[in-house]
């Protein structure tokens, strides 16, 4: 039987605030266990939480980026459950009903299975992170369980979609898009390895046209790959169940990456299980329209808009523009590099660390783009550098200078690639690499003439053949000269010299 998958995601994004959501404890990954805690995030009796304004601001920022409707008033509720990593016995969150979450509605467009798909959002709300239980990890007694409250109270933004996603691949595309937007607007680093972006997936299947089926919630997936695999497994499991005349039970299942399967954790809880009620310690938040407008004005250019601008302003093909704007750091690098090229053209921003004047009008956006998407990615990959290390080793102005050297004819494009390798390893400016390694292109006619004469003298038969009409041999002679000069000969000059000399005889 053919079924249609129906998927809705609940994504938790850890916000890049300095402090926790209801106290002043710092937010940072790792750290000595229980070193970033206070009576408030430890849930001691009698303490009072105070809402972090920045956390609300970041949530509004996200809401605006996805066309959400920002609430005029928003409120917090207690979600009651017992767990050792939850010291208060309840989590401060926001309940589902209108008037409570910071944002309702909105949505994002993704590349769907058959064309663009719009995934509607249900809501975006704020809540606090729980602590971390540690069982049998290296460095801990395997007979004991430990608890680290450093994470407790870290602000989480939960983005809940409508069940508009139709395949595991679309779920990945959706998550990737959310992550891209979160990173662009600077509210979450999107790091799934460190858990700053996490996702629960709800999935059901149905015969096309039928009402929605019973859903299963899957937790514990910590990469896009594992989310896709978990969904694929679960869709198949549900299909087998229905095919065998069974029915899907509403439950929460955990993904096991080693076994590549989901297994039941608990029957899916209902809202009333949590005994939600308004948190009496926190006042209702009134969100002034003027504040929302202010945040909107400061919103950075979003990936789609930026991509379109790259196409229009720099004349780049769409797919190139898409790759360049895939993350903000790369897009910023590109624009810095192109800007540097333009700066060189006006004679301002010459290379400073080499003390040498670098290329003027070093090339256009297309050249920068070509180099970034092939050579720069190559050296980044080969040297296992993250974006930050890459930018430290090869800052945008260095790449601009390198392209300038090539454009000026100081080195060939081929040698340029070797220079880039050395730059990636050493962090040196291109001019110093070229100088130290003696890579400057030989454009001295006298010097090249000597080499050309030598090559022609070594191959009298080929010279004769050429003169008898086998002009294709020009390539052979070129190759010989290049080899003799370790690729440093100026190809244009060599070409001219060869033609001249071969014609002379
Ligand atoms: P809540 O958890 O707030 O009570 P739901 O369980 O209805 O709300 O929805 C949670 C998530 O499950 C949402 O992302 C929603 O899109 C998704 N969802 C709801 N119904 C289905 C369904 N039948 N199949 C797949 N996903 C669903
Ligand atoms: Mg839920
Ligand atoms: Zn604290």
């Amino acid at each position: 039987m053919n079924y249609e998958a129906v998927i809705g995601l609940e994504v938790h994004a850890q916000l890049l605030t300095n402090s926790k959501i209801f106290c002043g404890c710092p937010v940072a990954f790792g750290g000595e266990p229980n070193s970033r805690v206070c009576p408030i995030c430890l849930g001691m009796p009698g303490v009072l939480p105070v809402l972090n304004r920045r956390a609300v601001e970041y949530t509004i920022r996200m809401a605006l980026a996805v066309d959400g409707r920002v609430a005029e008033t928003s409120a917090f509720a207690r979600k009651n459950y017992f767990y050792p990593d939850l010291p208060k016995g309840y989590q401060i969150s926001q309940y589902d009903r209108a008037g409570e979450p910071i944002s309702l509605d909105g949505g994002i467009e993704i590349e769907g299975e058959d064309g663009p798909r719009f995934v509607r959002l249900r809501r975006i709300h704020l809540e606090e992170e729980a602590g971390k239980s540690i069982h049998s990890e290296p460095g801990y007694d395997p007979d004991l369980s430990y608890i680290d409250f450093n994470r407790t109270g870290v602000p989480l933004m939960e983005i809940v979609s409508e069940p508009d996603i139709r395949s595991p691949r679309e779920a990945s595309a959706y998550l990737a898009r959310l992550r891209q937007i979160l990173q662009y607007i600077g509210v979450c680093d999107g790091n799934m390895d460190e858990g700053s972006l996490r996702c629960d997936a709800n999935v059901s299947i149905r015969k096309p046209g039928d009402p929605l089926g019973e859903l299963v919630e899957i937790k514990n997936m910590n990469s896009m790959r594992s989310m896709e695999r978990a969904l694929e497994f679960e869709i198949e499991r549900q299909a087998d169940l229905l095919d065998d005349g069974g029915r899907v039970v509403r439950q929460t299942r955990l993904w096991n990456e080693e076994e590549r399967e989901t297994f039941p954790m608990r029957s899916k809880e209902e809202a009333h299980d949590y005994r939600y009620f308004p948190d009496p310690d926190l006042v209702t938040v009134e969100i002034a329209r003027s504040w929302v407008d202010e945040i909107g004005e400061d919103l950075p250019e979003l990936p789609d808009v930026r991509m379109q601008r790259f196409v229009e302003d720099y004349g780049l093909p769409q797919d190139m523009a898409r790759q360049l704007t895939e993350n903000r750091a790369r897009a910023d690098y590109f624009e810095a590099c192109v800007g540097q090229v333009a700066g060189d053209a006006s004679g301002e921003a010459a290379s400073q660390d080499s003390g040498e004047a670098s290329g003027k009008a070093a090339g256009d956006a297309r050249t920068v783009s070509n180099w970034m998407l092939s050579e720069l990615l190559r050296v980044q990959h080969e040297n296992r550098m993250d974006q930050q290390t890459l930018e430290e080793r090869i800052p945008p102005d260095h790449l601009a200078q390198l392209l300038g050297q090539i454009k000026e004819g100081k080195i060939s494009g081929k040698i340029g690639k070797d220079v880039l390798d050395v730059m990636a390893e050493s962090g040196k400016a291109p001019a110093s690499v070229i100088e130290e390694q003696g890579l400057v292109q030989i454009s001295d006619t006298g010097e090249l003439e000597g080499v050309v004469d030598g090559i022609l003298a070594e191959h009298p038969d080929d010279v004769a053949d050429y003169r008898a009409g086998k002009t294709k041999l020009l390539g052979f002679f070129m190759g010989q000269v290049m080899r003799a000069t370790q690729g440093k000969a100026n190809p244009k000059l060599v070409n001219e010299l060869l033609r001249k000399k071969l014609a002379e005889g």
Side-chain angles (χ1 to χ4, degrees):
M1 175 71 71
N2 251 338
Y3 299 100
E4 175 186 57
V6 174
I7 300 167
L9 298 187
E10 296 166 273
V11 173
H12 288 93
Q14 184 181 314
L15 295 177
L16 286 168
T17 54
N18 295 320
S19 52
K20 293 185 178 180
I21 184 168
F22 297 122
C23 64
C25 292
V27 170
F29 181 71
E32 184 70 22
N34 300 307
S35 60
R36 295 195 273 262
V37 293
C38 74
I40 294 173
C41 53
L42 288 175
M44 298 294 171
V47 297
L48 283 175
V50 176
L51 180 59
N52 182 332
R53 180 185 171 92
R54 186 54 58 81
V56 180
E57 181 189 326
Y58 282 3
T59 309
I60 295 172
R61 217 189 262 182
M62 184 59 180
L64 295 176
V66 295
D67 288 328
R69 266 193 308 121
V70 178
E72 284 172 18
T73 62
S74 179
F76 287 88
R78 292 187 180 179
K79 182 179 179 179
N80 299 281
Y81 64 95
F82 171 79
Y83 207 74
D85 66 14
L86 192 69
K88 295 194 296 293
Y90 61 86
Q91 178 195 32
I92 303 179
S93 180
Q94 298 193 298
Y95 192 46
D96 214 356
R97 77 172 82 85
E100 298 214 357
I102 291 177
S103 169
L104 293 173
D105 305 334
I108 61 172
E109 194 176 275
I110 58 162
E111 292 284 345
E113 293 290 341
D114 26 51
R117 185 185 295 290
F118 190 76
V119 179
R120 291 167 302 152
L121 296 185
R122 194 174 273 186
R123 65 176 192 272
I124 305 176
H125 72 251
L126 261 181
E127 60 187 33
E128 59 179 342
E129 173 76 288
K132 180 172 181 257
S133 302
I134 301 165
H135 316 284
S136 58
E137 267 184 33
Y140 292 90
D141 184 339
D143 294 330
L144 298 177
S145 283
Y146 296 78
I147 187 86
D148 178 4
F149 289 118
N150 280 351
R151 277 194 346 191
T152 313
V154 162
L156 291 183
M157 178 168 72
E158 181 171 340
I159 305 155
V160 182
S161 84
E162 291 292 343
D164 287 348
I165 298 163
R166 290 292 173 269
S167 75
R169 253 225 333 259
E170 286 190 0
S172 272
Y174 168 82
L175 190 53
R177 191 97 183 95
L178 271 192
R179 182 169 68 172
Q180 185 193 35
I181 296 170
L182 288 165
Q183 288 173 333
Y184 258 81
I185 62 174
V187 303
C188 170
D189 65 22
N191 192 331
M192 294 189 83
D193 293 337
E194 291 180 359
S196 31
L197 189 68
R198 297 192 302 264
C199 169
D200 299 336
N202 301 273
V203 56
S204 63
I205 60 171
R206 65 174 171 188
K207 288 180 214 155
D210 275 4
L212 292 180
E214 194 68 274
L215 73 84
V216 162
E217 180 180 22
I218 320 172
K219 290 183 177 291
N220 205 33
M221 305 154 298
N222 46 23
S223 69
M224 301 222 186
R225 274 308 287 285
S226 67
M227 181 185 67
E228 270 192 53
R229 285 192 189 123
L231 284 169
E232 273 157 18
F233 174 89
E234 186 57 27
I235 290 165
E236 213 174 298
R237 190 188 68 86
Q238 293 183 16
D240 289 347
L241 260 176
L242 295 190
D243 283 345
D244 292 346
R247 62 180 198 90
V248 176
V249 194
R250 186 178 170 100
Q251 61 180 187
T252 299
R253 298 174 71 91
L254 289 181
W255 172 244
N256 182 321
E257 184 68 40
E258 279 74 52
E259 306 291 331
R260 298 267 169 94
E261 61 182 28
T262 63
F263 61 94
M265 176 168 98
R266 59 175 184 237
S267 65
K268 180 141 171 59
E269 71 291 342
E270 303 278 344
H272 62 249
D273 294 327
Y274 288 120
R275 298 297 188 272
Y276 278 98
F277 67 88
D279 191 308
D281 288 342
L282 286 157
V283 293
T284 298
V285 184
E286 286 185 18
I287 302 175
R289 196 62 232 175
S290 57
W291 190 35
V292 177
D293 292 342
E294 228 171 85
I295 296 170
E297 277 159 27
D298 283 348
L299 206 64
E301 196 178 21
L302 293 170
D304 264 355
V305 178
R306 198 165 192 189
M307 184 189 80
Q308 213 42 51
R309 183 167 63 77
F310 276 22
V311 171
E312 280 154 27
D313 286 6
Y314 301 111
L316 297 174
Q318 182 117 354
D319 59 331
M320 219 173 214
R322 174 168 295 128
Q323 281 188 72
L324 287 173
T325 53
E326 200 173 277
N327 59 69
R328 191 172 158 186
R330 187 186 287 170
D332 287 346
Y333 187 104
F334 169 78
E335 294 211 277
C337 192
V338 173
Q340 199 68 36
V341 166
D344 283 354
S346 65
E348 280 166 18
S351 137
Q352 288 177 352
D353 24 11
S354 69
E356 210 175 313
S358 87
K360 345 187 241 306
D364 54 9
R366 185 62 175 264
T367 311
V368 172
S369 171
N370 283 336
W371 274 73
M372 278 186 66
L373 296 176
S374 56
E375 293 308 308
L376 207 61
L377 283 182
R378 176 183 63 78
V379 298
Q380 178 172 14
H381 182 73
E382 283 172 6
N383 293 278
R384 294 163 194 270
M385 296 185 284
D386 58 17
Q387 183 70 26
Q388 197 189 336
T389 318
L390 174 76
E391 290 183 23
E392 280 161 17
R393 302 262 182 90
I394 311 177
D397 59 323
H398 281 188
L399 181 62
Q401 288 161 21
L402 177 69
L403 300 182
Q405 304 269 17
I406 296 169
K407 179 144 190 185
E408 274 189 345
K410 203 149 187 219
I411 55 170
S412 68
K414 192 159 173 297
I415 297 264
K417 294 175 187 178
D418 299 337
V419 173
L420 193 69
D421 280 323
V422 181
M423 289 163 65
E425 281 158 25
S426 65
K428 286 181 182 162
S432 357
V433 176
I434 292 165
E435 192 159 321
E436 280 167 32
Q437 312 230 339
L439 293 172
V440 176
Q441 183 156 275
I442 308 170
S443 296
D444 174 336
T445 317
E447 190 177 345
L448 283 181
E449 210 166 349
V451 182
V452 168
D453 286 343
I455 297 290
L456 294 186
E458 275 172 40
H459 300 91
D461 295 349
D462 297 302
V463 172
D465 286 351
Y466 179 92
R467 287 177 178 152
K470 263 184 96 175
T471 49
K472 270 194 290 187
L473 281 167
L474 191 71
F476 164 75
F477 293 121
M478 278 292 291
Q480 293 296 315
V481 175
M482 282 311 197
R483 167 139 29 126
T485 56
Q486 285 105 39
K488 285 187 285 177
N490 180 326
K492 201 163 149 263
L493 265 183
V494 175
N495 191 299
E496 280 166 18
L497 281 170
L498 278 170
R499 283 176 189 281
K500 193 171 122 232
K501 303 242 169 211
L502 285 163
E504 270 168 8

